[in-house]
Structure formats: structure tokens, C-alpha cells
């Protein structure tokens, strides 16, 4: 039997270069962090707006551009709307959550051997779930990502995710950010002719957002 994978969820995984100056600056925020849902988070939610991160910002924007254009196939631009630092000392975790009012979220792992990230299947559960005979992508409810230092992860903001207890002495440190569209979205004049879209009535709208 032939199978066809439809409506996949694609993660973007790459590496970035974090300079010693940038890393020292980011790690220095731990004393200024406040208690969050199981971990610590910076009060400053616009970390990347500091001029010291100009090179890191450039790398992130290049990866966002590739992800939105080449992976997702959209003719759109994203801007970073929020950025903050998470700290997970030994024994702390981060409860399941997603990121509202954001299109694509990202995280950069700044510590060695960080605790894994658990990503949850965002699709609604079926009413009846039979006994799992073997684990496959079709019946998986979670995906566990074991990140590495300086890894950049991009994922849809609606996807629920969590961090389990950090069981090692080293504090898990991540730089996270949210994004939103900038410029015009959609096209009300061009007629799309894909076979899938032809089966539905689709309304198009142009949203003029902040550039």
C-alpha cells in the first residue's frame, strides 16, 4: 500500500555562533531573572534589541528567512517581537505551554548537555485510540528533542512543549524568541490553482501590519 504524508509539521534545526561577549552578557541575566512556571525567566522581554547582539540577530534573521520561504514555502517576512532568557537550575522544569500571538518561535541553547525539550502533537486526539502495536509518527503523542549547545530550533508557535526536570548540576540556559508577520500578507487578486485549494472556497485578505 502506498502512503502519502500530508500536513506535516516541520522543525527547523541549525547551529549559530554565539560569541564569548554575547554569551557572558546573556548568562549575566540569571541574577535578574524571576520565577516563572517551574523555571526562571528574565523580566526583560526584548533581550535581542540590545546592540551587542547585532551578529546574533543577523544569524537568526537569515535562518527565519530560510525557514519561512524554503521550508514552509511562504512569500512572507517575519520580525522578532519578543526575546527572553530561560534558566533551569537543577531540579526545575518548565510546564507545558505554547506561545500565543506568535507565528514561529525559536530557541537557542546556551548550556552544555541541556535537558531535553518535549514537543506535543498539536492535533486533537481521536475519540477512540486503540492499543499501540508499534510506535510510528502517526500515533506518537510526543517528540523528544535532545538539543546541543548553540543549537537553534524553530517551530510553529502553536505547538505545545515542555521541559522536564533538569537532573544535572549545570543550569539549563536558553534564549527564546517569538515572531510575527511584517508587511503585507496574502493576495486578493491572484487566483490560486492548486488542486487542494480548488476544492474549497478560500477568502483572501491583505493585512497591512507594522513594518
Amino acid at each position: 500500500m502506498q502512503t502519502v504524508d500530508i500536513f506535516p509539521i516541520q522543525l527547523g534545526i541549525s547551529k549559530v555562533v554565539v560569541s564569548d561577549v554575547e554569551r557572558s552578557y546573556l548568562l549575566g541575566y540569571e541574577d535578574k531573572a524571576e520565577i516563572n512556571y517551574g523555571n526562571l525567566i528574565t523580566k526583560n522581554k526584548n533581550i535581542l534589541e540590545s546592540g551587542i547582539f547585532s551578529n546574533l540577530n543577523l544569524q537568526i534573521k537569515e535562518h527565519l528567512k530560510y525557514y519561512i520561504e524554503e521550508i514552509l514555502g511562504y512569500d512572507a517576512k517575519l520580525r522578532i517581537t519578543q526575546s527572553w532568557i530561560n534558566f533551569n537550575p537543577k531540579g526545575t522544569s518548565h510546564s507545558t505551554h505554547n506561545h500565543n500571538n506568535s507565528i514561529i518561535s525559536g530557541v537557542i541553547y546556551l548550556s552544555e548537555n541541556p535537558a531535553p525539550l518535549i514537543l506535543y502533537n498539536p492535533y486533537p486526539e481521536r475519540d477512540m485510540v486503540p492499543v499501540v502495536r508499534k510506535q510510528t509518527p502517526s500515533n506518537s503523542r510526543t517528540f523528544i528533542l535532545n538539543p546541543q549547545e548553540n543549537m537553534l530550533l524553530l517551530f510553529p508557535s502553536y505547538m505545545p512543549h515542555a521541559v522536564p526536570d533538569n537532573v544535572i548540576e549545570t543550569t539549563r540556559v536558553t534564549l527564546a524568541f517569538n515572531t510575527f508577520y511584517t508587511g503585507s500578507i496574502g493576495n486578493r487578486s491572484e487566483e490560486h490553482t492548486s488542486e487542494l485549494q480548488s476544492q474549497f472556497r478560500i477568502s483572501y485578505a491583505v493585512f497591512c501590519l507594522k513594518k
Side-chain angles (χ1 to χ4, degrees):
M1 176 184 294
Q2 179 183 4
T3 61
V4 179
D5 291 328
I6 62 173
F7 311 131
I9 298 174
Q10 294 176 306
L11 306 179
I13 299 176
S14 188
K15 283 274 191 176
V16 294
V17 177
V18 182
S19 70
D20 292 340
V21 174
E22 291 171 329
R23 189 181 303 276
S24 177
Y25 190 92
L26 291 167
L27 296 180
Y29 267 95
E30 185 169 7
D31 293 336
K32 306 172 186 177
E34 58 186 2
I35 297 175
N36 192 34
Y37 295 100
N39 67 345
L40 301 174
I41 188 173
T42 54
K43 295 180 181 179
N44 184 351
K45 300 301 187 295
N46 296 290
I47 295 290
L48 286 171
E49 289 187 2
S50 172
I52 197 172
F53 299 118
S54 58
N55 181 57
L56 189 56
N57 258 313
L58 181 61
Q59 295 179 72
I60 293 172
K61 289 176 181 178
E62 289 176 349
H63 287 297
L64 281 170
K65 176 179 172 62
Y66 184 87
Y67 183 80
I68 195 76
E69 293 181 358
E70 302 300 329
I71 304 300
L72 300 185
Y74 292 136
D75 183 11
K77 295 180 180 179
L78 294 172
R79 63 184 177 90
I80 296 174
T81 55
Q82 293 176 305
S83 53
W84 64 96
I85 309 171
N86 297 301
F87 297 94
N88 278 85
K90 183 179 180 180
T92 63
S93 59
H94 198 173
S95 59
T96 305
H97 64 286
N98 60 5
H99 296 195
N100 295 325
N101 302 316
S102 176
I103 305 301
I104 300 299
S105 294
V107 58
I108 296 174
Y109 296 87
L110 299 170
S111 53
E112 296 182 4
N113 302 315
L117 178 70
I118 304 174
L119 297 158
Y120 293 90
N121 189 337
Y123 298 133
E125 292 284 352
R126 294 183 290 272
D127 291 336
M128 293 183 290
V129 181
V131 175
V132 175
R133 178 174 177 270
K134 64 177 181 178
Q135 200 73 43
T136 71
S138 297
N139 61 31
S140 296
R141 298 186 181 185
T142 61
F143 176 82
I144 298 178
L145 178 71
N146 292 300
Q148 300 174 347
E149 186 178 13
N150 293 340
M151 176 187 285
L152 166 65
L153 170 67
L154 299 176
F155 60 94
S157 301
Y158 61 77
M159 179 175 288
H161 54 284
V163 178
D165 285 346
N166 181 14
V167 297
I168 64 175
E169 296 295 334
T170 303
T171 298
R172 182 186 194 270
V173 186
T174 60
L175 170 62
F177 57 89
N178 287 332
T179 67
F180 205 80
Y181 292 124
T182 181
S184 298
I185 305 171
N187 193 321
R188 65 173 66 161
S189 61
E190 294 183 4
E191 181 178 353
H192 293 258
T193 57
S194 74
E195 181 178 353
L196 180 61
Q197 288 175 329
S198 67
Q199 299 176 30
F200 301 92
R201 293 182 179 180
I202 301 177
S203 299
Y204 297 94
V206 175
F207 299 91
C208 295
L209 303 175
K210 179 180 177 182
K211 295 184 178 181

